[in-house]
Amino acid sequence: MSLTYKDSGVDKEAGYEEVKLIKPLIKKTYRDGVISDIGGFSGLFELNKDKYEKPVLVSGTDGVGTKLKIAFELDKHDTIGEDCVAMCVNDILCQGAEPLFFLDYISTGKLVPEKMSEIVEGVANGCVKGGCALIGGETAEMPGLYEENEYDLAGFAVGIVDKDKIIDGKKNIKEGDAILALPSSGVHSNGFSFVRKIIFEEKDYDLYKFIDEIGTDLGTELLKPTKIYTKPLLGLTKKFEINGISHITGGGLYENIPRALPKGLTANIDVSKINTQKIFTLLQEWGKVDVKEMYSTFNMGVGIVFFVNENIKEEVKKYLNDIEEEVFEIGKVIKGDEGVILCH
């Protein structure tokens, strides 16, 4: 008997079945500009050149990290794709870009069509929330490299912005600017190696443990998808002059806020103004974690930080409240080289 590809652990038929399952999920993400269909060698997107005087493409790529381990343990895969979209789209929004399209890459030890379809369902839902079309992707079955029940997930987003409207904090943020913030939905998709060490090694908890303080089990809390900020940020950039934006990801407030600041300016943050979710205070308590370590690892309740002139901050806050978006005023830009000063 001759060997087949399937004998090595790769099932081509399962791949064909996956494509059948995900086609309707992908179709729901399509928007103006998509001119290709699933099954080609590449995705095609036509730019509306009349909409922009000097169009600039903006790209971002990211993965989900070890948050995937939580999905594996719970065997729940329909939200993790939304995290992947969020991590890419939120980054390009920081430049003032409108998301256009997204591509994903899934590699796994054993291709189970239904599981892959669940992952892509999350990606598609994230694309709908992010306003971008899912125009391509790849699923790779890699026995021997991954365990059968494991996979990795990465994504790539492209957006567009007029060159004269690019948001560049290093050029535009000034002393005296107000610092506003949009809340996170929870831990998002960063720091999960630390989260897992605290929960599993320090406390010996399992993901099904119900936590009274948060009103749910740990698995449900930790799998909350990363919030996607397309609606509030695109609305803000169309109505107001936004001087700079930071997406608070790995490295927390200490690392990400200075990425938008010019030299010689510091963000003076009053953390008492942040509505920090209970999960963060619990992680700090359970792991006996220093305050600075928390703020340099997790978002601590802040998903996006942005900078505006002091004289328009109230109008900006009113606009966000009117579209039912929560916003905190958390500080002011001052002279200094510290990058971030957190006042507790």
Side-chain angles (χ1 to χ4, degrees):
M1 258 177 117
S2 64
L3 284 172
T4 67
Y5 202 3
K6 192 171 183 178
D7 292 324
S8 69
V10 177
D11 187 346
K12 292 181 292 182
E13 296 300 322
Y16 304 148
E17 178 62 23
E18 181 204 350
V19 172
K20 288 181 185 177
L21 292 173
I22 66 176
K23 272 191 173 183
L25 300 172
I26 294 170
K27 288 277 190 182
K28 76 177 185 179
T29 73
Y30 282 4
R31 51 164 289 168
D32 290 345
V34 177
I35 57 174
S36 57
D37 205 351
I38 301 303
F41 288 100
S42 57
L44 302 175
F45 193 96
E46 183 177 23
L47 294 179
N48 180 356
K49 293 181 291 185
D50 296 333
K51 191 175 176 182
Y52 300 89
E53 292 184 14
K54 302 175 185 175
V56 174
L57 295 179
V58 184
S59 62
T61 186
D62 210 335
V64 182
T66 60
K67 186 172 185 174
L68 289 170
K69 290 279 192 180
I70 309 298
F72 300 161
E73 186 158 340
L74 294 174
D75 195 23
K76 188 177 188 309
H77 313 282
D78 60 343
T79 61
I80 206 77
E82 193 170 323
D83 288 285
C84 190
V85 176
M87 297 304 293
C88 300
V89 165
N90 289 343
D91 277 354
I92 66 174
L93 287 165
C94 290
Q95 306 303 136
E98 174 191 356
L100 296 176
F101 58 84
F102 186 84
L103 295 93
D104 63 4
Y105 177 81
I106 309 168
S107 49
T108 184
K110 181 176 177 59
L111 200 161
V112 179
E114 293 77 14
K115 181 189 287 188
M116 296 302 107
S117 177
E118 284 186 56
I119 298 167
V120 175
E121 179 184 1
V123 174
N125 289 339
C127 285
V128 170
K129 291 180 181 180
C132 52
L134 178 56
I135 65 169
E138 175 71 13
T139 303
E141 192 170 21
M142 299 186 184
L145 187 59
Y146 295 93
E147 297 294 330
E148 281 196 0
N149 68 327
E150 294 190 346
Y151 56 85
D152 199 6
L153 173 64
F156 175 81
V158 171
I160 190 168
V161 63
D162 197 296
K163 188 174 183 179
D164 294 334
K165 296 180 180 178
I166 293 172
I167 295 174
D168 184 349
K170 293 189 180 298
K171 292 181 179 177
N172 297 319
I173 294 173
K174 302 175 293 298
E175 181 184 3
D177 278 356
I179 305 173
L180 305 180
L182 301 176
S184 68
S185 54
V187 182
H188 281 187
S189 300
N190 305 105
F192 269 83
S193 295
F194 198 13
V195 168
R196 291 184 301 109
K197 181 172 181 61
I198 292 169
I199 289 174
F200 300 139
E201 295 183 27
E202 296 298 315
K203 297 303 292 183
D204 196 26
Y205 288 161
D206 64 50
L207 293 172
Y208 299 97
K209 180 176 177 60
F210 189 90
I211 305 297
D212 290 334
E213 293 93 331
I214 58 177
T216 189
D217 57 87
L218 278 171
T220 299
E221 175 65 30
L222 295 176
L223 271 190
K224 283 181 181 175
T226 304
K227 185 172 179 179
I228 296 172
Y229 295 93
T230 299
K231 180 183 175 183
L233 288 183
L234 287 188
L236 282 171
T237 55
K238 286 175 183 174
K239 284 187 67 70
F240 303 100
E241 184 175 343
I242 306 301
N243 295 336
I245 305 175
S246 291
H247 180 202
I248 309 303
T249 57
L253 277 70
Y254 276 109
E255 181 177 324
N256 290 288
I257 292 178
R259 292 169 67 180
L261 289 169
K263 287 184 178 179
L265 293 181
T266 291
N268 191 40
I269 305 291
D270 180 354
V271 299
S272 70
K273 304 296 185 183
I274 299 171
N275 185 14
T276 300
Q277 292 98 331
K278 190 65 178 177
I279 184 63
F280 295 110
T281 55
L282 289 172
L283 288 169
Q284 183 178 3
E285 176 189 326
W286 293 338
K288 300 180 176 62
V289 184
D290 180 76
V291 171
K292 185 169 184 179
E293 186 69 18
M294 291 296 294
Y295 279 91
S296 58
T297 303
F298 301 113
N299 68 64
M300 299 302 286
V302 174
I304 292 287
V305 167
F306 63 101
F307 304 80
V308 298
N309 294 340
E310 174 74 16
N311 61 358
I312 66 166
K313 69 178 184 181
E314 295 303 327
E315 193 178 351
V316 168
K317 287 191 280 186
K318 182 180 185 306
Y319 167 77
L320 288 166
N321 290 331
D322 286 347
I323 63 169
E324 299 182 340
E325 290 285 345
E326 190 177 3
V327 59
F328 322 131
E329 182 179 352
I330 62 172
K332 191 177 288 291
V333 177
I334 61 173
K335 286 184 179 177
D337 295 314
E338 294 90 342
V340 175
I341 298 172
L342 299 186
C343 306
H344 298 276

